[in-house]
Amino acid sequence: MLETARQYRCSTLRPTELVDDLLARIRSGSLNAFITVDEAGAMRDAGKAEKALKQGSGDTLTGIPVAVKDNICTRGIKTTCASKILANFVPTYDATVVERLRNRGAIIIGKTNLDEFAMGSTTTTSTFGPAKNPWDETRTPGGSSGGSAAAVAAGLCAGALGSDTGGSIRQPASFCGITGLKPTYGSVSRFGLVAFASSLDQIGPMARTARDTAVLYDAIKGHDPSDSTSVPRGYPAIDLKSPDMNGIRIGVPDEFFAEGLSPEVALSVRRGISTFEGLGARIIPISLPYIRYGVAVYYIIATAEASSNLARYDGVRYGVRKEGSGDLTDMYMETRAQGFGAEVKRRIMLGTYALSAGYYDAYYKKASQVRVLISQEFEAAFTRCDLIAGPTAPVCAFGLDEMMDDPLSIYLLDIYTIPANLAGLPALSLPCGFSGEGMPVGMQLIAPHFREDTLLGAGMAFQDHTGFHEVRP
Ligand code: GLN
């Protein structure tokens, strides 16, 4: 992205040229990374950007092609959430993040594939078929923002937006060898993000490098009165010079290197942590015992909120309607029975159960209490360290047909990403190595609330001294 901006400035590349080339590559590719490509809109905006650059009025994002996950609303462009129920939904407004990118001159090239309503880790629950991993097309790019990750890794866009409720930016970033940031809850507006689990959902940027990720984050962050959970405070620009890592304290929790972690992933992440040590960081062993309950807590809270959020798809207000055999209730039931896929139905049922009278205290309330304990545990840890490091996911990208009949084993893969969502903390996934089979490995860094500067700075310092982010599929 920064490199493209530089080429634009020295006139060795023009936005229309780049967009034309990307559109041709998207058309002829087989990754299924996009659900909708806005060819006409992208070419129109490339023309505008070209003019602005010629007149010298452009900024870093002018003419930069960005892909947007298809659960983020785009005015006049279909936003399907990879679900049959929203297959024809065309929003009448742009999400705040999209509006902010457009105002900076970025080009929205298309809408990327995801798991239906962002519920999943593989994109295989997409009604449009799975996206594929550019490193090996028989494997998943991860999920749910798998289309965004695949598109960035394959160079089909300069950067992308994803959403992360339990790991959906970081895990696909790690599976595709790119950089992905889940910002602090409340730092990036959720206005126009189709809600999955509102207390966990967060939009964030994905790009090849931590610097490009920082540029996108800078463009989308900040208070938005249209989102009641958006936090009004100062959001200083991220410094793109990498900081001195000398004396930075990096906490490494035992629990992040426990049973179930692939030895290859463990090795690359340990080496990544040593790289930081080589740069002068102090490594501090810590313990976060409550995070072992993270997956259980998440799959109660997320499904409970999803069951409530998805009640709005009733065939009346949004999307597709299927007439039933008789009355209004039949129409509701038929619409939802035909409109939602199996995983979404599973979540709605689990969530409804967890919220029902008699079970609420045992499940939802208990989960909310443990969530507080997890937050407090992080707070205590951050008195002893500036960042926490570990793996992003316990494994590398796996085959598209693996584990699909076993939802629980897929849920368990979210073990390292979920805690940051439960505590609302910012977290970054960075490429830190490759498996024996040549698949990328991701390292996760977690920072205190609103310390995206520390997080992205550490990412920049790491990438100034390693080359994993430069390897192309
Ligand atoms: N894999 C997790 C889930 O299935 C996370 C999804 C997400 O972050 N959107 O819920």
Side-chain angles (χ1 to χ4, degrees):
M1 187 174 312
L2 285 166
E3 176 53 25
T4 305
R6 197 190 55 78
Q7 288 175 309
Y8 285 165
R9 273 198 307 277
C10 357
S11 307
T12 52
L13 182 70
R14 289 179 295 117
T16 52
E17 212 181 329
L18 175 63
V19 169
D20 202 40
D21 173 52
L22 294 179
L23 291 173
R25 288 182 45 217
I26 294 170
R27 247 180 266 127
S28 64
S30 50
L31 293 175
N32 202 24
F34 288 87
I35 292 175
T36 304
V37 181
D38 183 17
E39 298 214 6
M43 282 313 290
R44 177 200 63 217
D45 292 346
K48 276 193 211 157
E50 209 152 294
K51 237 184 243 153
L53 288 164
K54 235 182 239 149
Q55 292 163 351
S57 63
D59 90 0
T60 332
L61 281 176
T62 305
I64 299 293
V66 177
V68 174
K69 189 177 180 179
D70 208 23
N71 60 349
I72 299 175
C73 287
T74 39
R75 185 161 68 138
I77 306 170
K78 266 197 295 196
T79 298
T80 68
C81 291
S83 180
K84 272 197 203 124
I85 214 160
L86 287 179
N88 318 317
F89 174 55
V90 180
T92 53
Y93 66 99
D94 274 332
T96 300
V97 289
V98 170
E99 188 177 67
R100 288 186 180 175
L101 287 178
R102 287 195 190 281
N103 288 345
R104 293 280 303 276
I107 298 167
I108 309 300
I109 191 157
K111 304 298 295 290
T112 54
N113 206 352
L114 66 154
D115 286 285
E116 186 177 1
F117 282 101
M119 297 176 189
S121 310
T122 56
T123 72
T124 52
T125 69
S126 166
T127 190
F128 303 104
K132 294 170 189 157
N133 193 313
W135 294 86
D136 172 353
E137 293 194 17
T138 68
R139 298 185 195 233
T140 175
S144 61
S145 315
S148 290
V152 171
L156 303 177
C157 55
L161 297 183
S163 69
D164 191 315
T165 304
S168 280
I169 288 175
R170 291 160 286 158
Q171 182 258 30
S174 89
F175 279 18
C176 291
I178 64 162
T179 307
L181 170 72
K182 183 209 89 76
T184 305
Y185 185 79
S187 68
V188 173
S189 169
R190 290 182 300 112
F191 180 71
L193 170 66
V194 177
F196 160 13
S198 310
S199 76
L200 301 157
D201 295 341
Q202 189 59 75
I203 294 174
M206 308 166 83
R208 279 187 173 145
T209 66
R211 267 191 194 84
D212 286 353
T213 304
V215 170
L216 278 180
Y217 172 68
D218 263 342
I220 59 173
K221 74 186 182 190
H223 180 237
D224 176 14
S226 304
D227 171 1
S228 62
T229 58
S230 163
V231 180
R233 73 195 299 276
Y235 290 88
I238 304 288
D239 190 348
L240 297 182
K241 274 199 317 287
S242 62
D244 186 358
M245 292 302 290
N246 217 353
I248 298 278
R249 300 163 303 165
I250 299 183
V252 179
D254 290 345
E255 292 80 3
F256 275 12
F257 291 87
E259 204 196 316
L261 176 62
S262 133
E264 288 184 318
V265 173
L267 187 69
S268 291
V269 174
R270 293 259 187 224
R271 282 197 184 131
I273 293 170
S274 306
T275 301
F276 279 120
E277 203 171 8
L279 296 176
R282 269 174 48 213
I283 307 304
I284 302 177
I286 62 170
S287 176
L288 298 169
Y290 285 122
I291 62 171
R292 56 192 283 242
Y293 302 113
V295 172
V297 166
Y298 170 85
Y299 278 95
I300 291 170
I301 292 178
T303 57
E305 292 183 13
S307 73
S308 159
N309 273 326
L310 270 58
R312 73 191 68 177
Y313 305 102
D314 56 5
V316 178
R317 286 166 293 183
Y318 295 92
V320 171
R321 172 187 298 190
K322 298 280 175 211
E323 297 296 347
S325 51
D327 61 4
L328 182 65
T329 312
D330 279 332
M331 188 278 285
Y332 288 159
M333 285 178 23
E334 208 45 37
T335 296
R336 290 168 68 84
Q338 292 192 33
F340 291 136
E343 181 62 25
V344 172
K345 287 179 186 163
R346 180 181 297 125
R347 306 252 181 148
I348 293 173
M349 286 189 281
L350 285 170
T352 306
Y353 181 81
L355 288 176
S356 52
Y359 295 105
Y360 179 91
D361 283 351
Y363 294 108
Y364 187 76
K365 194 169 159 206
K366 185 59 86 22
S368 303
Q369 288 165 334
V370 179
R371 181 180 188 176
V372 173
L373 294 176
I374 291 174
S375 294
Q376 289 170 342
E377 184 169 86
F378 273 114
E379 227 168 272
F382 282 126
T383 60
R384 299 180 52 214
C385 54
D386 305 298
L387 290 169
I388 290 173
T392 304
V395 293
C396 294
F398 46 88
L400 273 165
D401 44 13
E402 269 178 68
M403 293 201 272
M404 292 315 152
D405 42 5
D406 183 5
L408 189 60
S409 63
I410 301 229
Y411 294 173
L412 289 170
L413 298 178
D414 300 333
I415 178 161
Y416 302 129
T417 47
I418 277 172
N421 299 83
L422 291 172
L425 298 166
L428 183 73
S429 181
L430 293 168
C432 71
F434 291 92
S435 70
E437 291 176 319
M439 298 309 289
V441 177
M443 168 166 63
Q444 178 177 222
L445 298 176
I446 307 175
H449 291 122
F450 299 106
R451 294 319 302 264
E452 277 80 359
D453 54 343
T454 319
L455 200 54
L456 290 160
M460 292 176 219
F462 186 79
Q463 292 181 346
D464 285 346
H465 291 87
T466 57
F468 306 112
H469 60 290
E470 277 161 356
V471 187
R472 300 275 179 271

